[in-house]
Amino acid sequence: MTNDRRLIEDFIPIKEISVEAAREKSIRKGHISTLHLWWARRPLVAARAAVFASLIAAPETPQKRTALKQAMIDLCKWEAGQPTIDKARKQILEAQKLRLNLPPETPLNQVPPPKVLDMFSGGGAIPLEALRLGCETYAVELNPVAHIIELCTLVYPQKYGRKLADEVEKWGNWVIEKVRGEIGDLYPDIKVGEVVPQESEQLELFAPKVKQLTLGQNLTPVAYLWTRTVKCPNPGCGADVPLVRQTWLCKKPKKYVALKVIPNHDTKRVEFEVVESATEKGLGFDPAAGSSRGTSTCRHCGTTVPTKPYIQEHGKAGRISHQLMAIVCNTSGEKGKTYLSGTAYEKYIPNEIEIKTRLQNLVKEIGISTPDEPVKVWSGVFNAPLYGLDTFEKLFTSRQLLSLMTFVKWVRLAHQDMVSQGYEEEFGKAVATYLSLGVTKVANRGSNLGVYHTGRETIESPIGSGRLPMCWDFPETNPIGGSSGNYSDGLDWTIQNVRNLAEISNVAIAKRQPCQKLDISDSSLDAVITDPPYFDAVPYSDLSDYFYVWLKRSIGHLFPEHFSSPLTPKKNEATMEPSRHGGDKKKAAQAYEDLMHKAFCEASRVLKPGGMMVVVYAHKTTAGWSTLIDSLRRAKFTITEAWPLDTEQQGGLRGLRASLASSIFLVARKREKPHPNLPLAKVREQELSNFPPYQRGTEGGTGDYATEVRPFLSEIVRDRVKTLMSEGVTGADLVIACIGAGLRAYTQFDRVELPNGDELYASSFLDEVQKEVAETILGTVLGCDQKGVSAVDKPTQYYILGRYEYGEAIVEFDEANTLARGIGVELDGASGLTDGKLALVKKTKNQIQLKDYQERGELEDLGLQKTEKQQTFNVKPQAIGNAPSLIDILHRLLWLSENRPQGIYEFLSLAQPDTTQLQLVAQALAGRALTPEAGGIEGHTTNRTKEQQTIDTLLASWKRLIEENLFTKGS
């Protein structure tokens, strides 16, 4: 290990980068997310931050730190221009020149660029940013679908330039015209006025609204909305029962459109009538009154139709049908959508038998079958096969299959034409590959499991969320139309991406291979920056099978090395999947850890002695974290730092908070040579000479927890809290950064032993780190030493730290319980913090939320010691149970001060609190460290919670309300 310390080991502006990363989620124009779907792809600005900070030396002075901080903030923005990128590339080369000990006069254009590897490259975000910053970039991926996406992101645009975009546009439009000529009759325009007289009622509904339809006007269908149906189980009824969940079509201000379901007792089917109103109440019925998880009610006789076993059995037997509810149309020259009743316009739906006949003929013509590969059942992820949709072809209607197979045909023919016209082989292959992405984009939204978004009036991907759930009503897109899910729009996004990506001149080295066996030379890379699979979080291979079956049919003949198997390879995929191990979760977890360990061993092999390892991790469970940590440690890496980046956008930019589900950038170095056993204070003194401040003691071997690990852990955490708070880092960011930094003390050894000789495992050490961080931050927030923290009861400690980490957010139980263990309290069970009417924490299913004074303060028992029911005359009642916590007393006081101040005296005389400790707790909870956007202007209270504002008022009157009311303790 060399002595050069990197910026990522010193400080990065995590708050500013997090804001930009979360904002990026809403950016579409030119973003690689619009090239093709890939799950859990990291934001580009976060990837850029990791690459830049891993290759730049740590600043030597506070002034340089300030300058580098601003440089990173400027660089890590979506709008960062080429001058900013060029400046960053120059800084990287200058740092590389020093690392390689090249003569000072060496021109930068003669400095070999850093070599960077992403060994789980997925959607290509990290290698793309390494390319953008001028690195020699290696992208390794096992999954064929991801590899194709990477070729289209990291290789083809940079290799062929803007002429590639022109050819993709030319041949993409050629494919669209050929397909439209072959299947255009399947999606006919609708001419208003050609339908039976019921249409006049339909038109009247629109007459006073946003649009007015004119007889003879042509409407272009963009989607067809269907409901699945089953026969009523009542033998005396036998009607078709729609399983539709709800009948909303559009929910926008002044535009509420829904379908009214009307049973037709003659036909034994329901009919659908489109109703529109300027208000929701104006509809006159409840559109949400549909099925619940498939269980429905017959609209003719009222019989309940259960999901299990009735609908599941019908699905497996192929007896679930579907019925048209509505047609969604565009009108030339007008905005918004027009909705037509499926009942009134059913004649515009082609005959199902004719479609199937055409599909059979097409399959014979091109010699390629429809995708008959099996769909796997994943509990809670893929449940569609439980209802008979057990092969990929069954996930599509007959018309959708015919359309997709027609696109497959013409994409293949386009490539044949390019060959016949003399296109260079690899270039023609590249163009055809982009055309094939158009097919998978159509499949992405064009299945019978899609979702119609009533707010945006668009079709959403069923698999975009990483799940493939059964649905009871679905939209069928028009792939040659003009709305979401059509080939033409997908082509436009693709062309825009190719043109943007072509501006990067260097080409990545993209390899499809297992990362446990890399064909890269030993000690050749400067950095490995990667975003590995998260334990059991995302079933990448099974999800990507959805696209694999279509890519195999479109371009499989061009890439036989990638598409030879029926589905994506799974044997070497690092995931905790019990079904691959006979349902044994322990074996599955061990297999995941072994594969990750082997991958990290390879990373160690290919890294230079002073190379950086950065692992992006975002799993919420301790099991996932401890597995990753053990894998790194066993591969002889020492984790030196951890930086939390909040990369998600949920209903707007959410407040930063600690979460094991956040994106954590773990920074690691190879363990190689022992370093002097220096105290951390001494290490800090040597930072200016670039001594690595992450070592303590001798690397490798066995460490004693009591004498070597625990003291170093305490030292690290105390130092980290102090230095980061001085930089303005608080709350969530501070907690996670401290936990990650604390891993140094553990991962520097091959094995850590307790005093009795037992091994201390990573899961147990994580609890110890959490405890140490909690105690240190509590001491800082409370403004007291360890003795003062110990004087505050455990529930109050939990509440303070919970507010510090989570604010008012709802938190996953496992995450909250990790914090509880660090404090030493129980969340669940008898006497737990979620137990009883005085509960401090509210639990709903697997989530918890801290209660504030408004939810608890009205309870008259709150903050008072329980006593025995029967009391002896003139004898002080005997206390029973636990003493009330300081937070209980404070919550009651806050409620009384706001609602019944005259009751404060009586309450204080009964509660008899320690006012010094109580004031300490109140001041901590009112402190700026607990306030969102704590780095803002002094005195700024816009983001302070209602509880904090009420505490402010109480503290301002503390002497009058508390001290003067509480005469003598114990009287």
Side-chain angles (χ1 to χ4, degrees):
M1 185 182 296
T2 62
N3 288 344
D4 71 308
R5 177 170 158 80
R6 308 290 173 85
L7 177 60
I8 201 167
E9 294 171 308
D10 180 78
F11 179 79
I12 59 175
I14 50 182
K15 185 175 180 180
E16 292 85 353
I17 296 171
S18 292
V19 170
E20 286 298 317
R23 186 175 74 87
E24 187 185 315
K25 291 287 184 176
S26 63
I27 293 172
R28 302 285 293 164
K29 188 175 181 181
H31 197 282
I32 61 170
S33 62
T34 63
L35 181 64
H36 200 280
L37 170 67
W38 192 255
W39 303 270
R41 185 191 265 123
R42 293 302 96 194
L44 297 181
V45 294
R48 193 179 308 161
V51 174
F52 179 77
S54 297
L55 300 174
I56 294 294
E60 298 173 353
T61 65
Q63 293 78 11
K64 287 187 177 180
R65 180 179 285 110
T66 301
L68 270 177
K69 177 181 177 180
Q70 187 57 53
M72 279 202 75
I73 292 172
D74 294 339
L75 177 66
C76 297
K77 290 182 179 179
W78 174 253
E79 300 86 356
Q82 195 57 47
T84 302
I85 300 293
D86 289 343
K87 179 181 176 182
R89 294 175 73 147
K90 181 180 177 182
Q91 289 174 295
I92 289 172
L93 287 175
E94 287 172 342
Q96 182 75 346
K97 181 166 72 171
L98 290 174
R99 256 191 306 274
L100 296 176
N101 294 316
L102 297 178
E105 63 275 10
T106 305
L108 289 183
N109 61 6
Q110 294 180 19
V111 175
K115 297 180 179 181
V116 177
L117 163 69
D118 182 354
M119 58 199 312
F120 297 97
S121 48
I126 293 172
L128 175 61
E129 292 308 312
L131 277 184
R132 197 188 308 276
L133 292 175
C135 302
E136 182 178 316
T137 304
Y138 296 78
V140 170
E141 175 59 50
L142 176 65
N143 190 290
V145 176
H147 180 68
I148 293 298
I149 295 171
E150 290 163 14
L151 290 177
C152 293
T153 306
L154 310 170
V155 177
Y156 293 151
Q158 297 79 10
K159 184 177 180 179
Y160 296 114
R162 295 181 69 86
K163 72 171 184 177
L164 176 61
D166 296 337
E167 290 295 319
V168 171
E169 181 175 23
K170 168 188 169 182
W171 287 99
N173 287 324
W174 183 87
V175 167
I176 291 171
E177 290 307 310
K178 295 295 184 180
V179 171
R180 183 176 285 119
E182 191 161 325
I183 63 168
D185 61 308
L186 299 179
Y187 306 93
D189 282 357
I190 296 173
K191 189 172 183 179
V192 177
E194 288 188 345
V195 190
V196 288
Q198 298 153 322
E199 181 197 35
S200 60
E201 298 179 12
Q202 178 73 25
L203 294 178
E204 288 173 8
L205 294 171
F206 285 91
K209 312 304 176 190
V210 179
K211 290 185 179 179
Q212 183 170 347
L213 302 183
T214 305
L215 293 181
Q217 184 176 11
N218 277 10
L219 303 179
T220 302
V222 294
Y224 304 79
L225 307 184
W226 301 85
T227 175
R228 300 186 200 277
T229 65
V230 294
K231 290 293 182 183
C232 176
N234 179 359
C237 178
D240 285 347
V241 181
L243 304 180
V244 58
R245 292 169 298 115
Q246 50 84 23
T247 62
W248 279 109
L249 299 175
C250 179
K251 292 177 74 173
K252 290 182 176 179
K254 298 184 180 180
K255 184 182 179 183
Y256 295 89
V257 189
L259 290 167
K260 188 174 183 180
V261 185
I262 305 168
N264 186 322
H265 296 283
D266 294 329
T267 63
K268 290 293 186 178
R269 298 179 78 201
V270 299
E271 297 180 351
F272 295 97
E273 178 184 335
V274 177
V275 180
E276 182 174 353
S277 173
T279 65
E280 186 171 342
K281 285 186 177 180
L283 294 174
F285 64 96
D286 181 11
S291 66
S292 176
R293 296 186 179 181
T295 297
S296 192
T297 302
C298 178
R299 306 290 179 125
H300 291 78
C301 70
T303 298
T304 298
V305 185
T307 307
K308 298 178 181 179
Y310 187 81
I311 295 177
Q312 277 195 1
E313 290 177 351
H314 272 58
K316 290 174 181 176
R319 294 197 298 269
I320 293 181
S321 302
H322 51 271
Q323 179 182 347
L324 183 67
M325 296 189 296
I327 303 176
V328 187
C329 298
N330 280 342
T331 306
S332 179
E334 296 186 22
K335 294 183 178 180
K337 301 291 190 294
T338 299
Y339 297 92
L340 304 178
S341 160
T343 303
Y345 289 84
E346 202 166 18
K347 72 173 241 180
Y348 285 91
I349 302 301
N351 182 275
E352 179 75 2
I353 296 176
E354 292 180 4
I355 291 176
K356 288 183 176 179
T357 300
R358 288 171 62 172
L359 179 59
Q360 290 172 357
N361 293 336
L362 177 62
V363 166
K364 290 179 181 178
E365 176 191 347
I366 62 177
I368 301 173
S369 69
T370 53
D372 53 0
E373 295 88 345
V375 178
K376 176 183 175 180
V377 175
W378 274 61
S379 178
V381 182
F382 291 0
N383 65 354
L386 298 176
Y387 299 88
L389 305 183
D390 53 5
T391 62
F392 282 98
E393 62 188 352
K394 293 180 182 178
L395 304 183
F396 303 88
T397 67
S398 299
R399 181 163 57 168
Q400 287 172 329
L401 281 175
L402 179 55
S403 298
L404 284 164
M405 292 298 289
T406 305
F407 274 111
V408 166
K409 167 188 170 180
W410 287 105
V411 166
R412 292 171 69 98
L413 289 174
H415 180 258
Q416 287 183 21
D417 271 19
M418 291 180 225
V419 172
S420 66
Q421 292 179 28
Y423 278 58
E424 188 266 325
E425 182 180 353
E426 283 300 310
F427 182 66
K429 188 175 174 181
V431 175
T433 302
Y434 286 103
L435 302 184
S436 74
L437 294 187
V439 179
T440 52
K441 282 184 178 182
V442 171
N444 185 28
R445 286 186 168 93
S447 78
N448 62 29
L449 293 176
V451 177
Y452 190 73
H453 195 290
T454 58
R456 294 193 291 266
E457 297 183 278
T458 57
I459 296 173
E460 305 296 321
S461 165
I463 204 167
S465 62
R467 299 170 64 244
L468 198 62
M470 184 61 177
C471 66
W472 308 110
D473 49 272
F474 63 90
E476 179 188 7
T477 186
N478 179 353
I480 54 174
S483 191
S484 55
N486 74 87
Y487 191 96
S488 182
D489 278 358
L491 178 64
D492 290 343
W493 289 113
T494 297
I495 294 165
Q496 194 171 63
N497 263 285
V498 175
R499 288 188 172 135
N500 287 346
L501 294 169
E503 295 176 2
I504 300 172
S505 58
N506 43 329
V507 180
I509 302 162
K511 300 172 179 284
R512 194 181 81 79
Q513 58 186 211
C515 58
Q516 293 81 13
K517 194 173 182 180
L518 301 170
D519 60 348
I520 298 175
S521 302
D522 294 357
S523 303
S524 60
L525 302 183
D526 296 276
V528 175
I529 304 171
T530 193
D531 181 13
Y534 308 147
F535 203 53
D536 61 350
V538 183
Y540 289 101
S541 61
D542 292 278
L543 287 170
S544 60
D545 283 340
Y546 184 92
F547 299 120
Y548 179 88
V549 296
W550 292 110
L551 288 175
K552 182 170 66 171
R553 284 160 174 79
S554 302
I555 55 171
H557 60 297
L558 302 180
F559 297 92
E561 69 277 25
H562 303 318
F563 293 97
S564 59
S565 59
L567 293 170
T568 57
K570 299 174 176 62
K571 182 178 178 181
N572 289 315
E573 182 187 34
T575 184
M576 201 292 280
E577 173 43 35
S579 67
R580 298 178 191 173
H581 303 275
D584 191 321
K585 290 185 178 180
K586 288 186 178 180
K587 286 184 179 179
Q590 187 61 52
Y592 171 81
E593 183 174 345
D594 288 345
L595 285 169
M596 292 300 293
H597 169 66
K598 291 176 183 176
F600 292 146
C601 285
E602 277 292 89
S604 179
R605 178 184 67 80
V606 300
L607 268 175
K608 293 178 180 178
M612 294 297 307
M613 177 79 174
V614 179
V615 179
V616 185
Y617 204 64
H619 198 268
K620 65 184 179 181
T621 67
T622 303
W625 262 75
S626 60
T627 299
L628 181 81
I629 291 164
D630 269 339
S631 299
L632 278 166
R633 184 172 63 96
R634 287 170 54 208
K636 298 190 180 301
F637 278 102
T638 295
I639 296 172
T640 64
E641 295 292 348
W643 302 105
L645 289 179
D646 189 345
T647 59
E648 302 305 315
Q649 181 185 32
Q650 299 178 358
L653 301 183
R654 62 188 173 113
L656 301 181
R657 61 178 182 83
S659 171
L660 293 184
S662 300
S663 292
I664 314 299
F665 284 52
L666 290 172
V667 184
R669 293 269 197 162
K670 293 165 66 172
R671 291 200 301 271
E672 291 177 350
K673 296 179 181 178
H675 287 282
N677 186 3
L678 294 175
L680 196 66
K682 187 66 175 175
V683 170
R684 284 293 182 192
E685 291 178 14
Q686 298 196 22
E687 279 188 25
L688 295 182
S689 61
N690 281 338
F691 182 85
Y694 41 80
Q695 276 313 128
R696 169 79 171 201
T698 302
E699 289 191 290
T702 299
D704 181 80
Y705 178 69
T707 62
E708 295 180 280
V709 177
R710 179 60 191 268
F712 188 33
L713 170 63
S714 299
E715 215 170 338
I716 289 171
V717 172
R718 287 197 303 271
D719 179 80
R720 175 48 57 96
V721 170
K722 178 182 176 181
T723 56
L724 286 185
M725 277 192 162
S726 69
E727 293 278 2
V729 180
T730 61
D733 298 333
L734 178 62
V735 174
I736 292 296
C738 288
I739 290 174
L743 293 172
R744 293 184 245 171
Y746 179 75
T747 56
Q748 65 177 323
F749 296 106
D750 294 328
R751 174 186 171 93
V752 174
E753 289 185 351
L754 297 167
N756 65 1
D758 291 343
E759 183 174 1
L760 177 68
Y761 294 102
S763 57
S764 299
F765 182 73
L766 277 173
D767 289 343
E768 292 297 312
V769 178
Q770 184 89 339
K771 181 179 179 182
E772 188 70 37
V773 170
E775 290 177 353
T776 305
I777 293 178
L778 275 170
T780 305
V781 173
L782 286 166
C784 59
D785 57 17
Q786 185 58 47
K787 184 178 179 181
V789 172
S790 300
V792 176
D793 59 88
K794 297 293 186 181
T796 302
Q797 288 185 25
Y798 181 82
Y799 188 84
I800 293 171
L801 201 56
R803 285 292 185 215
Y804 188 84
E805 292 198 35
Y806 312 132
E808 297 182 311
I810 296 172
V811 184
E812 293 296 321
F813 178 83
D814 286 345
E815 177 185 337
N817 203 37
T818 301
L819 176 61
R821 288 199 305 270
I823 297 293
V825 294
E826 294 290 333
L827 281 186
D828 247 353
S831 301
L833 299 186
T834 59
D835 181 50
K837 68 175 184 178
L838 302 181
L840 184 62
V841 177
K842 176 170 58 181
K843 183 183 179 186
T844 306
K845 295 183 179 179
N846 292 322
Q847 295 180 318
I848 69 100
Q849 186 176 26
L850 294 173
K851 293 183 176 182
D852 66 9
Y853 81 98
Q854 293 171 297
E855 297 175 275
R856 308 178 71 229
E858 192 173 3
L859 300 168
E860 294 187 358
D861 295 339
L862 189 70
L864 299 179
Q865 174 71 60
K866 293 182 181 179
T867 58
E868 58 188 2
K869 291 185 178 180
Q870 294 183 350
Q871 303 173 8
T872 305
F873 178 72
N874 208 27
V875 175
K876 185 176 180 179
Q878 183 175 344
I880 59 173
N882 297 325
S885 65
L886 288 168
I887 191 60
D888 287 351
I889 295 171
L890 180 61
H891 274 173
R892 180 64 175 162
L893 272 175
L894 292 173
W895 188 88
L896 288 171
S897 67
E898 189 172 62
N899 298 281
R900 206 170 70 219
Q902 66 274 17
I904 290 178
Y905 168 75
E906 180 184 0
F907 172 70
L908 289 174
S909 65
L910 292 172
Q912 292 291 316
D914 182 325
T915 54
T916 301
Q917 292 295 330
L918 186 64
Q919 188 175 26
L920 194 68
V921 170
Q923 289 170 339
L925 289 172
R928 291 181 53 75
L930 292 169
T931 304
E933 306 297 338
I937 300 171
E938 191 69 37
H940 186 64
T941 60
T942 303
N943 293 310
R944 291 175 68 75
T945 65
K946 173 65 175 173
E947 182 167 288
Q948 287 176 319
Q949 294 175 35
T950 309
I951 293 175
D952 288 341
T953 303
L954 179 67
L955 287 172
S957 307
W958 187 267
K959 184 174 182 180
R960 176 176 59 83
L961 288 178
I962 308 301
E963 295 179 1
E964 292 180 4
N965 268 324
L966 191 64
F967 295 109
T968 305
K969 188 172 182 179
S971 62

